[in-house]
Amino acid sequence: MLEILLLGTAGARYVVAKQLRASAGILFNLEGKYLLFDPGPGTLVHLAKRKIYPEKIKTLIVSHKHLDHSADLNIMVDALTEGTFKKRGKVFFTEETLKEGLLLNYLKEALEEVVILRPKENYKDGPFVFRTTSQLKHTAENYGFIFELGDKKLGIITDTAYFPELSEEFKDCQYLIINVVRYEPKEGVLHLSVPEVKILLKELRPELTIITHFGMTMLKANPFKVAQSLSSELGLKVLAAYDGMRLGL
Ligand SMILES: [Zn+2]
């Protein structure tokens, strides 16, 4: 079983800057191995609070360069390599994130491997088997992810504007985690909003959907109420994430 711990559920500048929700990413545990997804600001602190030791985390994925997804990358690498004394860990990130210099060189050398994410590519690290989608529509090079879970699949729809082919990318997923920054769409903002998520869910009809990565308009609308109305309107199981939420798939 894949255990999921949502360390943080903040998205967008204001909610992250004010820490109205934590911005600490998502931790996966499969067969006793950890994968940390999008270590935003505060990840190390929230791991420490839950007594999860960073040196146990061997796999890190940074979906894109934005700081709410990457700010704690360096301190996580420092911690998991025990101050660069132990060569361990794999980081998966975009070429743009690499070129931006988001991972310090002296830390990079302590890692076992740095893997550059490419569109529609398959990856494996320990028990974690996943693939990327095509590049999503965001203000940075960014991909969605699809994890293999036995005969089922978990899709993570990271930061993106809505586009009609988006549902095609995730069509074989029974479970979805969706970054829903906005309550209503806004011209020029390359993030998903609730009406767009509704279109996606109508097409995909997943067994379970978790909405997360909330901006201010979502917090004002109350994510729990949003999830409830999506569930009843679509006849699907939709849950709103909260900081520290755990689930098993
Ligand atoms: Zn972003």
Side-chain angles (χ1 to χ4, degrees):
M1 186 177 73
L2 176 72
E3 286 174 40
I4 300 174
L5 168 58
L6 289 116
L7 291 161
T9 55
R13 186 189 53 81
Y14 190 87
V15 175
V16 175
K18 307 279 183 205
Q19 288 291 292
L20 300 178
R21 293 275 185 119
S23 48
I26 306 173
L27 187 70
F28 296 110
N29 181 351
L30 187 61
E31 298 168 22
K33 307 279 185 201
Y34 287 107
L35 181 152
L36 181 61
F37 188 84
D38 278 356
T43 301
L44 184 73
V45 173
H46 287 280
L47 286 168
K49 265 189 183 172
R50 292 180 173 84
K51 297 191 166 45
I52 298 163
Y53 302 110
E55 60 269 25
K56 288 193 164 175
I57 300 168
K58 302 285 161 47
T59 315
L60 278 131
I61 298 178
V62 175
S63 65
H64 64 292
K65 69 176 181 180
H66 288 155
L67 278 180
D68 51 335
H69 300 256
S70 66
D72 272 15
L73 172 62
N74 284 297
I75 190 62
M76 285 309 305
V77 174
D78 184 83
L80 76 89
T81 60
E82 297 181 41
T84 72
F85 282 105
K86 299 271 166 64
K87 198 169 177 74
R88 59 163 81 115
K90 258 189 209 182
V91 170
F92 297 80
F93 60 13
T94 63
E95 189 164 25
E96 187 182 46
T97 304
L98 176 78
K99 284 185 175 164
E100 199 72 68
L102 260 75
L103 177 59
L104 298 171
N105 279 325
Y106 83 96
L107 293 171
K108 200 187 301 168
E109 285 158 20
L111 286 163
E112 259 169 39
E113 201 180 349
V114 169
V115 181
I116 301 297
L117 296 166
R118 304 286 178 202
K120 289 183 175 291
E121 195 65 63
N122 296 299
Y123 300 94
K124 188 181 184 311
D125 192 31
F128 298 102
V129 179
F130 60 95
R131 64 182 160 88
T132 49
T133 62
S134 305
Q135 193 170 322
L136 302 182
K137 302 210 181 311
H138 194 46
T139 45
E141 181 191 2
N142 185 32
Y143 302 99
F145 294 84
I146 295 161
F147 285 83
E148 300 282 337
L149 301 175
D151 58 348
K152 297 202 174 176
K153 290 182 174 62
L154 163 68
I156 306 182
I157 308 183
T158 54
D159 293 4
T160 183
Y162 177 78
F163 56 101
E165 300 79 21
L166 189 56
S167 59
E168 186 66 22
E169 298 279 353
F170 294 92
K171 69 172 191 294
D172 50 354
C173 296
Q174 290 76 22
Y175 310 119
L176 283 179
I177 295 175
I178 311 181
N179 288 0
V180 189
V181 169
R182 291 197 52 87
Y183 185 59
E184 295 285 355
K186 190 179 178 186
E187 188 73 40
V189 174
L190 303 185
H191 279 294
L192 288 173
S193 64
V194 173
E196 294 158 342
V197 169
K198 209 180 284 181
I199 299 171
L200 279 173
L201 295 184
K202 268 186 193 167
E203 289 173 357
L204 293 168
R205 301 205 60 83
E207 278 175 36
L208 173 67
T209 304
I210 313 292
I211 56 171
T212 186
H213 208 64
F214 305 125
M216 204 55 218
T217 58
M218 277 300 288
L219 291 192
K220 280 187 180 153
N222 187 342
F224 298 108
K225 285 187 179 163
V226 172
Q228 232 168 32
S229 67
L230 284 170
S231 294
S232 56
E233 205 176 309
L234 302 171
L236 294 169
K237 193 173 178 188
V238 182
L239 300 176
Y242 53 87
D243 294 350
M245 183 189 201
R246 287 173 189 271
L247 55 136
L249 297 179

